[in-house]
Each structure stands twice: as structure tokens, then as C-alpha cells.
Amino acid sequence: MRPTCQGLLRAFHRGLLASVICLCSLEISAAGSAAHSAEKDDIVWALTPLPPAMLETNGEITGYGVDILDWFADQLPQYTHRKEIVPLARLLQTITGPGTFCNIGMNPTPERQQILHFTDAVLPHLPVSLIVDAARDHKLKPFLTDNGQVDLDLLITEGKLDGGLRSKRSYGPFIDRIVQNHPDNPRISQIGNDANFLQLIALGRMDWTLYLPAEAEYHRRTKLPDTVFSSWQIAGNDQLMPASIACSKNATGENIVTEINDLVRKHPEMPWAKFYSSSLSDADQIRYQQALKRYVADINNPQSVQVDQ
């Protein structure tokens, strides 16, 4: 029996409907696959309150360290970036836990490199310097080298000026060795909290102390805005100290480190350094720009090694 026209029409509609349903299913499946492939890896930036790089106020952290990591995060839109405040005492425990964490400002050591990935130097910054009241700069004259840097060992040995150091703080291997050579010097006070050292210098109760220049300027701005202090390079110490970004020891952390290193190579002028520079005194900004210019020039034009014949 031959099918009627109505039967043929119904069969055609059923076939067309099935085709439409099939196509819709394929589109939904494709959309789901695309959404899955577009999911971003999650990065948690561990922020540790360490003024002035990171200042915690009302549950939020600001400072030049946050501005720098924001610059890098903006260049890495393929990741989802979150921030989490982590006390210094829990930093290593947190960033070596489950997930992918990154932290700015941590320097690599052989022990840390076993448990974290590290970028190349991201932010060269001024090293620990000798801080005095600018009105009493002349007292340092007997202890300056020919290039105007402070001979710290001579200054302590002569014992003519009173200094203050924070007890149990490391000022870096070079300076620590000098200080350890004079364990019983009566002109050096070891004090548990260095937040008020500038006030003691301003009052004439101390002549000098050691700070990172950005630290000294932070304390000056917050407590003694009308007083001028001088920051002196210590002879024999590095002109700049490099700081890196550390990330979790997993595949995502390794990828982030590789991509940040690529960004550093593509931006040898280091535009993010302006955030750090703004935290320095006017004099130290000049000192920093000069040192950074030399640093960048050395990276871009490494000198050939001279071999004595």
C-alpha cells in the first residue's frame, strides 16, 4: 500500500525535527566543551604585611609590593588571580600547601628552591644602608671611603658614634659578618623593636642605625615628616639587591614563573620599578635610578670576561 501525501509529510517533519534536535545537542555539547577549555587556572597571591611594601589597613593590603604584583597579574589574563593575607609566620606553610600560590619579594635559597619555583630577579632594590640625621652628616666624614661610601667596620671599630640595631635581625651576610666581629661593642645598642629608631636619632640619643631605605622613609613619613635623614651606601655591600617571585612547586607554578621571566625579558626598562621608587626619599630615588640604570645596562650589555695572558 502506497503512503499518502499526508503520511509522507508527517515522516518528513519527524525527520526534520530529529535533525534539529541532533544539531542542538551537538551545539550544546560543543558549548560545554568550549566552556570547559576556557576555565582558567587559579593563582592565589599570598600577601604578607611588611611595611612599606605591603601595609594592612581594615583587612586590605596596599603598598608598592601589591602594585607590582598587580602589574604582572594584568599581563597574565589567562589566570584567575586572587589575593590572600598570610602572616609571615605561616607564609612558607601556606605557599607549599595544596593549590597554586605565588609570593613577591622572597629570595631563593637552596632550601627554598627544593620546594618552590623562583623567577629571575624581578625587582632590584636598594640594600640595607646606614641612616643618620642629615643635619649631622659631617660626623661620618672620618669613616667615608674615597667614593663616598661608609666603612662600617671602621665606624664600629673607632667607637665614636652610637648605633642602634634590632636584635636578632639579619641585615644580609656582608653586614652581619661586620656586626658579628664586634659582639661586645658598648656603642651599639641591640633593641627588640626598631620602629622608633628614627625618633631616637632625631633626639640625639643615637647617631646611626641600619634600615632598608624604603623602611627608613616609611618611618620618616609616618612619624617625623619634617625631619630629613640621609641614607648611606655601605662600602663593600651590593649596590642593589634582587628580589624574586616564588610560586608553588607544581606545573601551574612553573608556567607562571616562565611567563613572568618572559615579561621581565620583554620589559628591560622594568616599568613596575616606579612603584618601589615612589616609596624612597628624594635623594634615594636619584640614587636608585642611577643604580638601576647601571643594573639594566649590565644585563643588556654584559661585559666580556677578560682573561689575563
Side-chain angles (χ1 to χ4, degrees), residues 139-167:
K139 288 190 174 184
L140 291 180
K141 188 174 181 180
F143 313 111
L144 298 182
T145 63
D146 292 341
N147 59 357
Q149 299 178 359
V150 174
D151 186 329
L152 182 61
D153 189 70
L154 179 62
L155 183 148
I156 297 176
T157 300
E158 291 289 326
K160 295 180 180 179
L161 300 179
D162 294 315
L165 301 176
R166 193 175 82 190
S167 58

mmCIF file of all heavy atoms in Angstrom, residues 139-167:
data_model
loop_
_atom_site.group_PDB
_atom_site.id
_atom_site.type_symbol
_atom_site.label_atom_id
_atom_site.label_comp_id
_atom_site.label_asym_id
_atom_site.label_seq_id
_atom_site.Cartn_x
_atom_site.Cartn_y
_atom_site.Cartn_z
ATOM 1 N N LYS A 139 79.472 64.086 60.768
ATOM 2 C CA LYS A 139 80.077 63.150 61.705
ATOM 3 C C LYS A 139 80.593 61.883 61.018
ATOM 4 O O LYS A 139 81.416 61.156 61.574
ATOM 5 C CB LYS A 139 79.069 62.772 62.791
ATOM 6 C CG LYS A 139 78.773 63.883 63.789
ATOM 7 C CD LYS A 139 77.950 63.341 64.955
ATOM 8 C CE LYS A 139 77.759 64.404 66.035
ATOM 9 N NZ LYS A 139 77.050 63.859 67.218
ATOM 10 N N LEU A 140 80.095 61.626 59.815
ATOM 11 C CA LEU A 140 80.516 60.417 59.096
ATOM 12 C C LEU A 140 81.795 60.623 58.297
ATOM 13 O O LEU A 140 82.374 59.647 57.800
ATOM 14 C CB LEU A 140 79.402 59.970 58.147
ATOM 15 C CG LEU A 140 78.124 59.417 58.773
ATOM 16 C CD1 LEU A 140 77.137 59.022 57.677
ATOM 17 C CD2 LEU A 140 78.410 58.217 59.657
ATOM 18 N N LYS A 141 82.239 61.842 58.141
ATOM 19 C CA LYS A 141 83.374 62.138 57.263
ATOM 20 C C LYS A 141 84.599 61.265 57.535
ATOM 21 O O LYS A 141 85.231 60.767 56.586
ATOM 22 C CB LYS A 141 83.729 63.615 57.358
ATOM 23 C CG LYS A 141 84.771 64.045 56.338
ATOM 24 C CD LYS A 141 84.986 65.560 56.360
ATOM 25 C CE LYS A 141 86.015 65.968 55.311
ATOM 26 N NZ LYS A 141 86.239 67.431 55.309
ATOM 27 N N PRO A 142 84.976 61.027 58.798
ATOM 28 C CA PRO A 142 86.174 60.195 59.037
ATOM 29 C C PRO A 142 86.008 58.737 58.610
ATOM 30 O O PRO A 142 86.999 58.006 58.537
ATOM 31 C CB PRO A 142 86.367 60.290 60.561
ATOM 32 C CG PRO A 142 85.598 61.480 60.990
ATOM 33 C CD PRO A 142 84.436 61.554 60.056
ATOM 34 N N PHE A 143 84.786 58.326 58.323
ATOM 35 C CA PHE A 143 84.525 56.910 58.040
ATOM 36 C C PHE A 143 84.081 56.664 56.600
ATOM 37 O O PHE A 143 83.584 55.589 56.280
ATOM 38 C CB PHE A 143 83.446 56.400 59.009
ATOM 39 C CG PHE A 143 83.685 56.789 60.432
ATOM 40 C CD1 PHE A 143 82.856 57.716 61.056
ATOM 41 C CD2 PHE A 143 84.756 56.277 61.149
ATOM 42 C CE1 PHE A 143 83.077 58.103 62.356
ATOM 43 C CE2 PHE A 143 84.992 56.658 62.459
ATOM 44 C CZ PHE A 143 84.151 57.580 63.078
ATOM 45 N N LEU A 144 84.300 57.657 55.739
ATOM 46 C CA LEU A 144 83.905 57.525 54.342
ATOM 47 C C LEU A 144 85.081 57.082 53.485
ATOM 48 O O LEU A 144 86.225 57.501 53.694
ATOM 49 C CB LEU A 144 83.351 58.849 53.817
ATOM 50 C CG LEU A 144 82.099 59.399 54.492
ATOM 51 C CD1 LEU A 144 81.661 60.703 53.823
ATOM 52 C CD2 LEU A 144 80.964 58.375 54.473
ATOM 53 N N THR A 145 84.798 56.244 52.512
ATOM 54 C CA THR A 145 85.807 55.828 51.547
ATOM 55 C C THR A 145 85.971 56.921 50.499
ATOM 56 O O THR A 145 85.237 57.920 50.496
ATOM 57 C CB THR A 145 85.396 54.516 50.866
ATOM 58 O OG1 THR A 145 84.185 54.744 50.122
ATOM 59 C CG2 THR A 145 85.162 53.426 51.897
ATOM 60 N N ASP A 146 86.909 56.731 49.590
ATOM 61 C CA ASP A 146 87.152 57.735 48.544
ATOM 62 C C ASP A 146 85.931 57.958 47.646
ATOM 63 O O ASP A 146 85.771 59.048 47.093
ATOM 64 C CB ASP A 146 88.344 57.305 47.678
ATOM 65 C CG ASP A 146 89.657 57.355 48.455
ATOM 66 O OD1 ASP A 146 89.703 58.052 49.502
ATOM 67 O OD2 ASP A 146 90.612 56.689 48.029
ATOM 68 N N ASN A 147 85.089 56.945 47.497
ATOM 69 C CA ASN A 147 83.907 57.107 46.644
ATOM 70 C C ASN A 147 82.663 57.458 47.459
ATOM 71 O O ASN A 147 81.531 57.325 46.970
ATOM 72 C CB ASN A 147 83.666 55.852 45.803
ATOM 73 C CG ASN A 147 83.460 54.612 46.652
ATOM 74 O OD1 ASN A 147 83.552 54.666 47.880
ATOM 75 N ND2 ASN A 147 83.195 53.493 46.001
ATOM 76 N N GLY A 148 82.859 57.908 48.695
ATOM 77 C CA GLY A 148 81.749 58.437 49.477
ATOM 78 C C GLY A 148 80.852 57.405 50.131
ATOM 79 O O GLY A 148 79.712 57.713 50.484
ATOM 80 N N GLN A 149 81.346 56.179 50.318
ATOM 81 C CA GLN A 149 80.573 55.153 50.998
ATOM 82 C C GLN A 149 81.081 54.972 52.429
ATOM 83 O O GLN A 149 82.230 55.312 52.743
ATOM 84 C CB GLN A 149 80.647 53.830 50.231
ATOM 85 C CG GLN A 149 80.074 53.945 48.821
ATOM 86 C CD GLN A 149 80.176 52.656 48.043
ATOM 87 O OE1 GLN A 149 80.685 51.647 48.530
ATOM 88 N NE2 GLN A 149 79.683 52.667 46.804
ATOM 89 N N VAL A 150 80.230 54.433 53.285
ATOM 90 C CA VAL A 150 80.578 54.295 54.701
ATOM 91 C C VAL A 150 81.339 52.997 54.938
ATOM 92 O O VAL A 150 80.878 51.912 54.549
ATOM 93 C CB VAL A 150 79.313 54.320 55.580
ATOM 94 C CG1 VAL A 150 79.666 54.016 57.035
ATOM 95 C CG2 VAL A 150 78.621 55.664 55.486
ATOM 96 N N ASP A 151 82.509 53.116 55.579
ATOM 97 C CA ASP A 151 83.263 51.941 56.026
ATOM 98 C C ASP A 151 82.679 51.540 57.375
ATOM 99 O O ASP A 151 83.067 52.072 58.422
ATOM 100 C CB ASP A 151 84.747 52.288 56.136
ATOM 101 C CG ASP A 151 85.615 51.076 56.468
ATOM 102 O OD1 ASP A 151 85.120 50.165 57.155
ATOM 103 O OD2 ASP A 151 86.797 51.054 56.057
ATOM 104 N N LEU A 152 81.750 50.616 57.372
ATOM 105 C CA LEU A 152 81.018 50.258 58.587
ATOM 106 C C LEU A 152 81.939 49.639 59.627
ATOM 107 O O LEU A 152 81.805 49.919 60.833
ATOM 108 C CB LEU A 152 79.873 49.301 58.246
ATOM 109 C CG LEU A 152 78.981 48.870 59.412
ATOM 110 C CD1 LEU A 152 78.293 50.074 60.048
ATOM 111 C CD2 LEU A 152 77.941 47.848 58.942
ATOM 112 N N ASP A 153 82.855 48.808 59.203
ATOM 113 C CA ASP A 153 83.778 48.183 60.149
ATOM 114 C C ASP A 153 84.616 49.240 60.866
ATOM 115 O O ASP A 153 84.804 49.178 62.092
ATOM 116 C CB ASP A 153 84.687 47.186 59.429
ATOM 117 C CG ASP A 153 85.513 46.361 60.393
ATOM 118 O OD1 ASP A 153 84.934 45.515 61.102
ATOM 119 O OD2 ASP A 153 86.742 46.579 60.455
ATOM 120 N N LEU A 154 85.106 50.228 60.127
ATOM 121 C CA LEU A 154 85.901 51.306 60.729
ATOM 122 C C LEU A 154 85.042 52.128 61.675
ATOM 123 O O LEU A 154 85.486 52.488 62.777
ATOM 124 C CB LEU A 154 86.487 52.196 59.630
ATOM 125 C CG LEU A 154 87.322 53.395 60.102
ATOM 126 C CD1 LEU A 154 88.549 52.919 60.886
ATOM 127 C CD2 LEU A 154 87.739 54.246 58.905
ATOM 128 N N LEU A 155 83.816 52.422 61.279
ATOM 129 C CA LEU A 155 82.925 53.212 62.117
ATOM 130 C C LEU A 155 82.686 52.524 63.461
ATOM 131 O O LEU A 155 82.729 53.163 64.524
ATOM 132 C CB LEU A 155 81.604 53.437 61.384
ATOM 133 C CG LEU A 155 80.541 54.307 62.069
ATOM 134 C CD1 LEU A 155 79.723 55.045 61.021
ATOM 135 C CD2 LEU A 155 79.609 53.468 62.939
ATOM 136 N N ILE A 156 82.471 51.211 63.429
ATOM 137 C CA ILE A 156 82.235 50.482 64.681
ATOM 138 C C ILE A 156 83.526 50.347 65.481
ATOM 139 O O ILE A 156 83.532 50.502 66.712
ATOM 140 C CB ILE A 156 81.619 49.099 64.377
ATOM 141 C CG1 ILE A 156 80.255 49.254 63.696
ATOM 142 C CG2 ILE A 156 81.478 48.282 65.658
ATOM 143 C CD1 ILE A 156 79.621 47.935 63.264
ATOM 144 N N THR A 157 84.645 50.093 64.807
ATOM 145 C CA THR A 157 85.926 49.913 65.496
ATOM 146 C C THR A 157 86.344 51.176 66.230
ATOM 147 O O THR A 157 86.813 51.129 67.380
ATOM 148 C CB THR A 157 87.022 49.515 64.491
ATOM 149 O OG1 THR A 157 86.654 48.286 63.851
ATOM 150 C CG2 THR A 157 88.359 49.326 65.186
ATOM 151 N N GLU A 158 86.178 52.319 65.576
ATOM 152 C CA GLU A 158 86.569 53.587 66.194
ATOM 153 C C GLU A 158 85.705 53.892 67.419
ATOM 154 O O GLU A 158 86.165 54.507 68.381
ATOM 155 C CB GLU A 158 86.441 54.721 65.175
ATOM 156 C CG GLU A 158 87.461 54.657 64.059
ATOM 157 C CD GLU A 158 88.872 54.986 64.534
ATOM 158 O OE1 GLU A 158 89.025 55.833 65.439
ATOM 159 O OE2 GLU A 158 89.812 54.369 64.010
ATOM 160 N N GLY A 159 84.450 53.454 67.373
ATOM 161 C CA GLY A 159 83.585 53.595 68.535
ATOM 162 C C GLY A 159 83.282 55.014 68.952
ATOM 163 O O GLY A 159 83.079 55.290 70.137
ATOM 164 N N LYS A 160 83.213 55.940 67.994
ATOM 165 C CA LYS A 160 82.942 57.336 68.333
ATOM 166 C C LYS A 160 81.476 57.722 68.177
ATOM 167 O O LYS A 160 81.063 58.775 68.649
ATOM 168 C CB LYS A 160 83.809 58.247 67.454
ATOM 169 C CG LYS A 160 85.302 58.095 67.713
ATOM 170 C CD LYS A 160 86.109 59.028 66.814
ATOM 171 C CE LYS A 160 87.606 58.875 67.070
ATOM 172 N NZ LYS A 160 88.407 59.769 66.184
ATOM 173 N N LEU A 161 80.710 56.877 67.493
ATOM 174 C CA LEU A 161 79.298 57.160 67.264
ATOM 175 C C LEU A 161 78.437 56.035 67.825
ATOM 176 O O LEU A 161 78.825 54.859 67.775
ATOM 177 C CB LEU A 161 79.023 57.327 65.762
ATOM 178 C CG LEU A 161 79.773 58.453 65.041
ATOM 179 C CD1 LEU A 161 79.404 58.462 63.566
ATOM 180 C CD2 LEU A 161 79.479 59.798 65.683
ATOM 181 N N ASP A 162 77.292 56.407 68.353
ATOM 182 C CA ASP A 162 76.375 55.425 68.937
ATOM 183 C C ASP A 162 75.406 54.910 67.883
ATOM 184 O O ASP A 162 74.737 55.698 67.201
ATOM 185 C CB ASP A 162 75.590 56.064 70.079
ATOM 186 C CG ASP A 162 76.480 56.446 71.251
ATOM 187 O OD1 ASP A 162 77.328 55.621 71.634
ATOM 188 O OD2 ASP A 162 76.330 57.564 71.763
ATOM 189 N N GLY A 163 75.323 53.593 67.787
ATOM 190 C CA GLY A 163 74.427 52.979 66.819
ATOM 191 C C GLY A 163 73.366 52.128 67.488
ATOM 192 O O GLY A 163 73.523 51.686 68.630
ATOM 193 N N GLY A 164 72.284 51.900 66.772
ATOM 194 C CA GLY A 164 71.212 51.039 67.257
ATOM 195 C C GLY A 164 70.862 49.997 66.222
ATOM 196 O O GLY A 164 70.667 50.319 65.045
ATOM 197 N N LEU A 165 70.782 48.738 66.638
ATOM 198 C CA LEU A 165 70.433 47.639 65.750
ATOM 199 C C LEU A 165 69.278 46.856 66.354
ATOM 200 O O LEU A 165 69.126 46.802 67.583
ATOM 201 C CB LEU A 165 71.620 46.698 65.540
ATOM 202 C CG LEU A 165 72.892 47.307 64.945
ATOM 203 C CD1 LEU A 165 73.999 46.258 64.886
ATOM 204 C CD2 LEU A 165 72.620 47.866 63.560
ATOM 205 N N ARG A 166 68.477 46.268 65.490
ATOM 206 C CA ARG A 166 67.388 45.433 66.003
ATOM 207 C C ARG A 166 67.932 44.054 66.313
ATOM 208 O O ARG A 166 68.559 43.414 65.453
ATOM 209 C CB ARG A 166 66.249 45.332 64.992
ATOM 210 C CG ARG A 166 64.977 44.743 65.605
ATOM 211 C CD ARG A 166 63.842 44.758 64.620
ATOM 212 N NE ARG A 166 63.912 43.615 63.713
ATOM 213 C CZ ARG A 166 63.152 43.489 62.631
ATOM 214 N NH1 ARG A 166 62.320 44.454 62.296
ATOM 215 N NH2 ARG A 166 63.248 42.428 61.868
ATOM 216 N N SER A 167 67.714 43.617 67.520
ATOM 217 C CA SER A 167 68.250 42.325 67.943
ATOM 218 C C SER A 167 67.651 41.192 67.122
ATOM 219 O O SER A 167 66.472 41.216 66.754
ATOM 220 C CB SER A 167 67.968 42.085 69.431
ATOM 221 O OG SER A 167 66.579 42.139 69.688
#
